[in-house]
């Protein structure tokens, strides 16, 4: 046997893709009989639908705030959006005071965006939340520094949607952490309290929680003692979202290997240090898609508060059209408009979730 | 007797109601002694050393580590864990922290050491295991042998009196075993008390003061490595040695 010398092959870069659009289409759209049939069928359907959509939404549409022209036209009536814009966006909030709601909402949105950025994850962020919420409520509620008072039952539209969603998410997250850890506690009492909480809340629809918060809760309170309906509804959504989120987080906690906790124990870390520095960072990183799922559905669930006469975005939209017989027939256009608003928010959340997933998975890249 | 740093006195442990995993363990370990524990799988050797830092709790008997008896007392457990370092088969590095952060975590959070000082001391330990150039990487970016050396350095950051090794080379590729054993041998020569569960008989011969052979939850035989390998006393250990040395 002759000895062979080992000659390492130098690393090369991956081959450059040479396919153009035609090559791509041939491979992916007409690669086999079945894909060709699929391509033709879908193409035909699109050829049928798109002209109709364009005709309705663009060519034959009316953009002017003119309901008579709208009734006469065969296309969409986008005039309804500009005509009812202020009511859809701000609900029953007094017309002359809507600048207050606008400022409050813009500041709150700004804080939400800042909270998403890594450079802002500093201790002052908590203080900023307290300040901004104080500003939000002062502006919205008024009654001080010359601002007229606006009761919470007149709050509405997008400001209310954003308030309900952001505050309930911000509160539900820490609650769900505690519940998830509690369900894995060594103490049976804590474990069962947390389990009962989750099962009770998950066992009923959000609508019934809102009903109870709005109508039943006052019956149980002593005479003369009231909590604002907005606060009760906010608490209802928060506890509801927390129950679901707790289960998502518990799934992540269970996926952290036992050896991690053992290693932390041998290093002398306490229970809370271990959870905070070792277990939760890994558990949460694993369940980001699930958490974002919950955030998105909580955002959309806020539309249910209409049921207890709080007119957030969806409620404000029906309010705007139902009260005006001239514009009532153009609900589809109105709903498409608010659907677009919901989509912008939900899609941004979804993109953010993708980004943060990449951030936390950096340690796994080679 | 005062020089015994670890004393097992009729220690018994059960998993559930029926699995009697440690049976009447009597064992004294002297300060600075280097002990290798071997035996077939399921014999209780890992459980034995995991009792020393209370990752497992014993249900009967007494176990004293450096003058502290291990009971349910949380403070006693904390005391003991400060003196005992441990290295695991699966490394158990924290994957979301860099190598350096893995090492400074406990000194900073448990020892309340300033970050700069903790990092300096961590770098000293990384030099010791010859991996200082990887300090900024994440554990999963390293090879198994490198990860295990980081784990050893992490344990050493606490300045332990006792080091426990639970099959430290069993999860490694053959080519990487040596680099880990070299580090362990170096450490053994510096006078730290070591208990090591391993099947690396070469390591046992090179550094152990005593080899303990376990089977079915009992200590079957303990002797110095020379006599244990050349002249095992019990039938069971002869049988075991013929299997692991026979090929």
């Amino acid at each position: 046997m002759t000895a062979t010398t080992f000659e390492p092959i130098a690393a090369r870069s991956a081959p450059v893709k040479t396919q153009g659009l035609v090559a791509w289409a041939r491979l992916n759209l007409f690669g086999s009989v079945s894909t060709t049939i699929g391509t033709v069928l879908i193409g035909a359907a699109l050829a049928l639908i798109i002209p109709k959509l364009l005709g309705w939404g663009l060519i034959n549409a009316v953009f002017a705030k003119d309901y008579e022209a709208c009734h006469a036209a065969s296309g969409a009536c986008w005039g309804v959006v500009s005509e009812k814009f202020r009511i859809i966006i701000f609900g029953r909030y007094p017309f002359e005071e809507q600048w207050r709601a606008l400022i409050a909402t813009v500041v709150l949105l700004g804080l939400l965006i800042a909270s998403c950025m890594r450079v802002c994850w500093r201790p002052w962020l908590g203080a900023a939340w307290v300040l901004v919420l104080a500003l939000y409520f002062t502006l919205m509620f008024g009654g001080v520094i010359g601002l007229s008072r606006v009761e919470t039952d007149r709050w509405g539209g997008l400001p209310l949607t954003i308030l309900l969603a952001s505050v309930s998410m911000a509160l539900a997250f820490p609650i769900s952490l505690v519940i998830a850890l509690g369900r894995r506690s060594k103490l049976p009492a804590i474990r069962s309290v947390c389990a009962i909480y989750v099962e009770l809340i998950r066992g009923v629809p959000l609508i019934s929680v809102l009903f109870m918060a709005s109508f039943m809760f006052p019956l149980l309170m002593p005479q003369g003692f009231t909590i604002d309906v907005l606060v009760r509804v906010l608490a209802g959504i928060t506890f509801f979202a927390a129950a679901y989120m707790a289960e998502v987080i518990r799934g992540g906690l269970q996926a952290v290997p036992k050896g991690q906790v053992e290693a932390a124990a041998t290093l002398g870390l306490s229970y809370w240090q271990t959870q905070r520095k070792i277990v939760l960072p890994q558990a949460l990183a694993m369940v980001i898609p699930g958490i974002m799922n919950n955030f998105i559905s909580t955002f959309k669930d806020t539309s249910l508060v209409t049921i207890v006469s709080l007119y957030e975005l969806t409620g404000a939209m029906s309010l705007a059209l139902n009260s005006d017989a001239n514009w009532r027939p153009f609900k589809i256009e109105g709903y498409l408009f608010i659907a677009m608003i919901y989509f912008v928010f939900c899609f941004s959340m979804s993109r953010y979730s993708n980004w943060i997933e990449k951030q936390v998975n950096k340690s796994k890249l080679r | 007797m005062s020089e015994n740093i670890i004393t097992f006195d009729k220690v018994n442990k059960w998993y559930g109601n029926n699995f009697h995993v440690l049976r009447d363990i009597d064992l004294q370990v002297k300060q600075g002694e280097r002990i290798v524990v071997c035996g077939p799988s399921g014999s209780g050797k890992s459980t034995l050393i995991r009792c020393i830092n209370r990752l497992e709790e014993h249900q009967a008997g007494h176990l004293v580590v450096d003058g502290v008896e291990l009971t349910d007392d949380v403070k006693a457990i904390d005391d003991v864990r400060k003196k005992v370092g441990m290295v695991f088969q699966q490394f158990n590095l924290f994957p979301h922290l860099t190598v350096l952060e893995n090492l400074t975590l406990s000194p900073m959070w448990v020892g309340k050491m300033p970050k700069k000082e903790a990092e300096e001391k961590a770098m000293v330990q990384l030099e010791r295991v010859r991996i200082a150039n990887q300090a900024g990487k994440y554990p999963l970016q390293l090879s198994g042998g490198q990860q295990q050396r980081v784990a050893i350095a992490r344990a050493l950051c606490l300045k332990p009196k006792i080091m426990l090794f639970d099959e430290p080379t069993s999860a490694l590729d053959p080519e990487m075993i040596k680099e880990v054993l070299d580090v362990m041998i170096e450490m053994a020569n510096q006078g730290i008390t070591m208990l090591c569960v391993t099947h690396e008989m070469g390591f046992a011969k090179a550094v152990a003061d005593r080899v303990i052979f376990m089977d079915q939850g009992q200590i079957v035989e303990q002797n110095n490595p020379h006599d244990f390998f050349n002249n095992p006393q019990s039938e069971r250990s002869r049988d075991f040695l013929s299997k692991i040395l026979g090929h």
Side-chain angles (χ1 to χ4, degrees):
Chain A
M1 229 178 92
T2 54
T4 54
T5 47
F6 167 67
E7 285 189 26
I9 299 170
R12 292 186 295 256
S13 50
V16 182
K17 281 180 192 144
T18 49
Q19 290 138 320
L21 188 66
V22 178
W24 177 88
R26 190 172 295 157
L27 183 71
N28 293 295
L29 298 181
F30 304 99
S32 68
V33 177
S34 55
T35 46
T36 306
I37 293 174
T39 304
V40 169
L41 283 179
I42 293 171
L46 287 177
L48 218 65
I49 293 168
I50 289 177
K52 280 198 170 176
L53 261 182
L54 283 178
W56 178 80
L58 216 58
I59 298 162
N60 300 323
V62 178
F63 290 88
K65 294 191 210 176
D66 180 350
Y67 63 86
E68 278 167 352
C70 277
H71 280 282
S74 63
C77 171
W78 298 115
V80 68
V81 173
S82 37
E83 168 72 23
K84 298 293 183 188
F85 185 76
R86 295 280 287 262
I87 308 186
I88 295 175
I89 295 296
F90 293 107
R92 297 202 301 149
Y93 204 82
F95 193 82
E96 304 74 35
E97 307 291 335
Q98 283 174 3
W99 60 271
R100 286 157 52 181
L102 178 67
I103 294 174
T105 306
V106 167
V107 173
L108 184 59
L109 270 180
L111 179 69
L112 279 172
I113 292 168
S115 305
C116 290
M117 292 191 291
R118 201 173 201 147
V119 285
C120 300
W121 296 347
R122 297 274 182 279
W124 55 259
L125 194 62
W129 267 89
V130 174
L131 273 177
V132 167
L133 284 177
L135 175 77
Y136 183 96
F137 280 100
T138 312
L139 272 173
M140 289 291 281
F141 199 63
V144 284
I145 49 172
L147 298 173
S148 63
R149 192 163 166 153
V150 181
E151 295 297 336
T152 53
D153 60 352
R154 300 214 47 190
W155 298 14
L158 196 55
L160 184 61
T161 295
I162 291 172
L163 175 79
L164 287 173
S166 58
V167 173
S168 61
M169 286 180 223
L171 293 176
F173 187 64
I175 294 174
S176 66
L177 282 182
V178 173
I179 300 291
L181 290 173
R183 284 202 73 171
R184 289 163 52 84
S185 166
K186 280 186 189 141
L187 306 170
I190 293 181
R191 222 166 40 226
S192 34
V193 166
C194 295
I196 290 169
Y197 169 81
V198 169
E199 296 306 337
L200 272 185
I201 301 272
R202 278 204 309 186
V204 295
L206 177 56
I207 286 208
S208 65
V209 173
L210 294 176
F211 257 116
M212 279 190 268
S214 178
F215 302 121
M216 243 179 80
F217 185 77
L219 299 179
L220 304 176
M221 288 294 110
Q223 280 274 303
F225 180 85
T226 54
I227 299 178
D228 192 279
V229 65
L230 181 66
V231 175
R232 280 180 271 143
V233 161
L234 205 46
I237 298 177
T238 300
F239 288 123
F240 190 81
Y244 281 85
M245 196 123 63
E247 286 298 279
V248 172
I249 291 171
R250 192 166 68 94
L253 293 175
Q254 274 168 348
V256 175
K258 200 172 150 230
Q260 294 286 309
V261 178
E262 286 181 350
T266 62
L267 291 173
L269 268 65
S270 69
Y271 172 82
W272 288 109
Q273 284 172 334
T274 305
Q275 301 304 323
R276 183 172 155 212
K277 305 301 276 185
I278 307 301
V279 177
L280 282 174
Q282 297 185 58
L284 294 177
M286 281 186 271
V287 295
I288 288 169
I291 291 177
M292 197 47 76
N293 224 0
N294 269 352
F295 276 175
I296 288 175
S297 79
T298 301
F299 182 79
K300 291 184 293 186
D301 279 352
T302 56
S303 57
L304 290 173
V305 301
T306 310
I307 207 88
V308 293
S309 306
L310 287 173
Y311 295 98
E312 48 57 69
L313 189 56
T314 312
M317 153 66 206
S318 7
L319 198 68
L321 296 196
N322 286 341
S323 60
D324 190 339
N326 290 332
W327 292 99
R328 203 177 295 156
F330 308 109
K331 269 194 176 162
I332 295 177
E333 290 84 344
Y335 276 114
L336 279 174
F337 174 63
I338 62 165
M340 189 197 72
I341 296 178
Y342 279 111
F343 182 79
V344 166
F345 279 96
C346 294
F347 188 66
S348 319
M349 285 157 88
S350 156
R351 297 315 300 168
Y352 177 64
S353 148
N354 271 352
W355 177 80
I356 201 137
E357 238 179 288
K358 285 205 187 87
Q359 294 290 306
V360 298
N361 286 333
K362 271 188 180 157
S363 67
K364 290 183 189 142
L365 297 176
R366 288 228 152 220
Chain B
M1 281 302 283
S2 63
E3 60 181 321
N4 284 339
I5 193 164
I6 303 170
T7 309
F8 283 78
D9 177 18
K10 290 252 173 298
V11 167
N12 280 275
K13 173 171 179 62
W14 291 261
Y15 285 131
N17 287 326
N18 299 317
F19 185 23
H20 197 171
V21 63
L22 293 181
R23 305 179 192 184
D24 291 343
I25 300 289
D26 279 315
L27 176 67
Q28 286 84 37
V29 181
K30 292 197 201 67
Q31 175 104 45
E33 204 176 1
R34 293 158 304 199
I35 292 179
V36 161
V37 186
C38 63
S41 71
S43 60
K45 44 193 197 310
S46 285
T47 309
L48 177 84
I49 69 163
R50 285 161 61 91
C51 281
I52 296 171
N53 60 0
R54 197 84 173 173
L55 287 184
E56 305 288 352
E57 49 189 83
H58 57 281
Q59 283 111 355
H62 299 281
L63 172 53
V64 180
V65 179
D66 200 29
V68 180
E69 172 155 18
L70 281 166
T71 56
D72 286 334
D73 179 11
V74 180
K75 211 185 152 298
I77 297 171
D78 276 350
D79 270 359
V80 166
R81 282 180 179 165
K82 278 189 190 123
K83 299 169 186 169
V84 182
M86 187 162 195
V87 173
F88 300 86
Q89 180 178 358
Q90 300 297 342
F91 328 134
N92 292 352
L93 293 174
F94 306 129
H96 59 301
L97 302 176
T98 63
V99 165
L100 190 62
E101 286 165 345
N102 263 276
L103 266 69
T104 55
L105 182 74
S106 178
M108 280 170 61
W109 287 82
V110 183
K112 307 284 174 222
M113 197 185 278
K115 186 176 179 189
K116 198 158 170 282
E117 189 187 347
E119 285 183 347
E120 278 163 12
K121 295 199 165 156
M123 287 311 290
V124 172
Q125 297 301 339
L126 287 175
E127 296 282 357
R128 219 172 138 184
V129 299
R130 293 183 289 276
I131 207 160
N133 54 341
Q134 313 278 8
K137 286 198 180 171
Y138 287 99
L140 296 182
Q141 296 166 335
L142 305 181
S143 73
Q146 290 173 322
Q147 289 189 52
Q148 193 60 297
R149 283 186 282 147
V150 171
I152 293 172
R154 180 175 72 178
L156 288 175
C157 275
L158 300 179
K159 301 257 171 285
K161 283 184 160 178
I162 302 165
M163 278 289 282
L164 308 175
F165 294 85
D166 190 359
E167 306 208 27
T169 56
S170 303
L172 298 176
D173 291 340
E175 281 194 321
M176 294 169 183
I177 292 177
K178 187 174 174 299
E179 62 185 57
V180 171
L181 289 181
D182 284 348
V183 167
M184 288 169 63
I185 289 169
E186 231 170 81
M187 206 169 37
N189 293 333
Q190 288 167 358
I192 197 167
T193 308
M194 283 171 75
L195 280 93
C196 183
V197 174
T198 184
H199 294 130
E200 292 297 327
M201 292 305 138
F203 174 77
K205 282 176 189 163
V207 304
D209 298 311
R210 186 162 30 139
V211 177
I212 290 174
F213 176 71
M214 290 185 74
D215 190 26
Q216 295 176 32
Q218 283 169 265
I219 294 177
V220 180
E221 184 172 342
Q222 39 182 320
N223 214 331
N224 65 65
H226 182 268
D227 289 343
F228 177 75
F229 288 113
N230 296 317
N231 186 21
Q233 298 301 303
S234 73
E235 186 63 36
R236 186 70 191 84
S237 32
R238 224 168 293 158
D239 181 43
F240 176 76
L241 283 173
S242 73
K243 275 178 190 148
I244 65 163
L245 300 174
H247 54 79

